[in-house]
Amino acid sequence: MLRPIDIQNKEFEKKIKGYNPDQVDDFLDKVITDYEAVIKENKSLKEKLEVNSTDIERYKKIEKTLDAAVVTARETAAGIIENAKAESENIIRRAKLDAQNLEKQIDQEHIKRQQEIAAMNTELDAYKVRLKALCRSMEELIDKV
């Protein structure tokens, strides 16, 4: 690659009908200045390209990590939802069983109370009969007095 110093140090043969050396030197000075600017810009662009390439690689790694995290989060969410559904079904099933057991207990308690009421009514009827008999006996006894 041609360097600015090569342009500056270049010597040309002098001929009688050649170009004006001062004009050539002025032009070469401009070429050297522009060429140095192009080289600096090229170097700067290469450095930026390297930085950007490094950034792109870093961002690709981050993107890959984020994609993996999203996949993991989706799988975890799906598992949580599935577990929650299973747990809710178990809770509902247990609640239904508890409700059935409670209903049986209430029915049994109701039957027991009905039996107790019936027994008390029977006992009350027996007391009434005895009380009536006692009252009749007393009335007969009073009548005899």
Side-chain angles (χ1 to χ4, degrees):
M1 177 175 201
L2 188 62
R3 299 174 301 168
I5 192 80
D6 296 332
I7 296 171
Q8 188 174 5
N9 292 334
K10 178 68 176 165
E11 296 288 327
F12 295 97
E13 290 180 27
K14 294 184 182 183
K15 291 192 175 181
I16 295 175
K17 290 187 176 184
Y19 294 107
N20 180 341
D22 291 334
Q23 286 180 344
V24 170
D25 287 342
D26 289 343
F27 180 75
L28 287 177
D29 287 342
K30 279 183 164 185
V31 169
I32 290 169
T33 302
D34 288 350
Y35 195 65
E36 284 176 342
V38 168
I39 289 173
K40 284 180 184 178
E41 182 181 11
N42 190 22
K43 183 180 177 185
S44 173
L45 290 173
K46 283 181 180 180
E47 289 171 357
K48 285 181 183 179
L49 179 62
E50 188 175 322
V51 168
N52 288 342
S53 294
T54 303
D55 287 347
I56 287 172
E57 287 303 314
R58 185 170 44 98
Y59 291 139
K60 282 182 180 179
K61 287 178 184 177
I62 291 170
E63 180 182 27
K64 190 175 182 180
T65 302
L66 290 174
D67 286 343
V70 167
V71 168
T72 301
R74 284 185 179 150
E75 290 171 353
T76 301
I80 289 170
I81 289 170
E82 193 171 317
N83 288 341
K85 284 181 183 177
E87 183 64 24
S88 67
E89 288 171 1
N90 284 338
I91 289 170
I92 291 170
R93 185 178 44 76
R94 285 191 305 242
K96 285 181 180 179
L97 283 173
D98 289 347
Q100 288 173 350
N101 289 337
L102 187 59
E103 185 179 12
K104 284 179 186 177
Q105 287 177 350
I106 290 171
D107 287 345
Q108 289 171 352
E109 189 68 27
H110 179 71
I111 290 170
K112 182 179 174 185
R113 297 291 177 233
Q114 289 293 343
Q115 289 172 345
E116 288 175 356
I117 290 172
M120 286 179 173
N121 282 336
T122 303
E123 199 174 313
L124 181 62
D125 289 343
Y127 283 129
K128 283 180 185 178
V129 167
R130 279 191 282 178
L131 188 58
K132 283 181 185 178
L134 183 62
C135 284
R136 273 190 231 123
S137 299
M138 290 270 225
E139 190 179 328
E140 287 173 7
L141 196 62
I142 291 175
D143 282 343
K144 284 185 184 177
V145 177

